[in-house]
Amino acid sequence: MAKASTISAGLAALLLAAPLAAHATSQEGPAPLTETPLPVVGSLTAQSAWGGSLSRFDEVLHGVWRIDGGTVAYWSVRHRPSDGDRGTLTSEAHQLRGGTANLTTPPGFTETSLAAREIGELYPVLLDETTRTCLCTNVTEMGLNDARAAQVSDGWQLVYAVFPELPTEVTTVDMHVDGFGAILPDVPVQDGPLPEPQVPADEWVASGQGWPTPPAAQEIARAAEVRTLGAVWTLAERSGATDGSWTQRDSGTVRDIDIAADVLFAFDKFEVTTKADKVLDHIAEEIGDAQVSSATIVGHTDGQGTEAYNQTLSEKRARSVEAELSARLPEVSFTVEGRGWHEPIASNKTDAGRALNRRVTITLEGIANQDGRR
């Protein structure tokens, strides 16, 4: 588990107070190109005890910018050696493997995210699951160039990551910098041009040597489209069954319960199977505990087949679930809808994504807190 804390202006001043300069002319690689201080909007330290050894990192955020089709963040990272540390940015502690929704190869800053609290959305780093590439800096390359960075830029290396496009009304975000719990709040989202000079994104960059060029809008769109769990997530408290048969999302006084259609129905059918009885018993108990008098049941399908067929199937499945829950909860009034394939929560390009899209969602509004208050 990582620990992060904001620190004094001293760390930021390492990059802000003066332009970076090469510390040794004999070191291979270009000297820093910038003659001006790098912008700084926040700084912090992070540490992790992954694998039994302590790793510490200094991190300075340079900014978050809107780009064509997406959002890019630039920041600098420096490994801070400590007793027992491997002394490399490629240590297990920095490969960021904790999220089950993230790819682990190639290693990159794949748990970095932007949170827009005002609209309740989380924007994770984009991963192109078809090519297994992260639209971000690869930490393996950083580790291979630790020695160069020590000579050129006092150990600082420039990092970038690309996120989905932010809505125009979002002007600040909270940035989860590295997957260790290092969070910088209220980071301004900039609309101006990207800093110069721009350099190829596949080249290693020491802080002060340039800014990796983000991918084109088409590549960003493709990565967002094929993300199995979707490119934008809802900020909500989640729970559910360990076997994935149902999941629950609480946001304020609204609760959404998704029941997997593959648990409720046979393939292409709308009659509820007997194996769904235990799940429906539990869902009925959840609805009763929420102390609501009404609820909405919505059927959803994947993207296979025709639009008309999926619309009809989603409606029939919702009505079947309504019949089962009404028998268990006669005091609750249910409204039934079918929305076909129009509201996917995952990509329809993968089997896993289509399975997540095949669901019946029960929405409860005005749910009671644990103490009974709404």
Side-chain angles (χ1 to χ4, degrees), residues 27-95:
Q27 179 69 25
E28 291 184 5
L33 301 178
T34 184
E35 295 297 334
T36 58
L38 302 181
V40 173
V41 298
S43 59
L44 48 79
T45 57
Q47 65 182 32
S48 171
W50 186 279
S53 63
L54 184 66
S55 294
R56 292 189 176 94
F57 306 94
D58 295 329
E59 311 199 45
V60 172
L61 178 63
H62 302 304
V64 174
W65 283 266
R66 298 182 192 276
I67 56 176
D68 189 13
T71 312
V72 66
Y74 292 111
W75 69 104
S76 288
V77 178
R78 179 176 67 173
H79 179 266
R80 180 189 293 181
S82 56
D83 293 342
D85 200 342
R86 294 185 185 183
T88 172
L89 283 167
T90 56
S91 66
E92 290 181 353
H94 218 65
Q95 291 195 18

Side-chain angles (χ1 to χ4, degrees), residues 186-198:
D186 301 319
V187 175
V189 179
Q190 304 181 52
D191 294 308
L194 297 181
E196 296 288 345
Q198 290 283 300

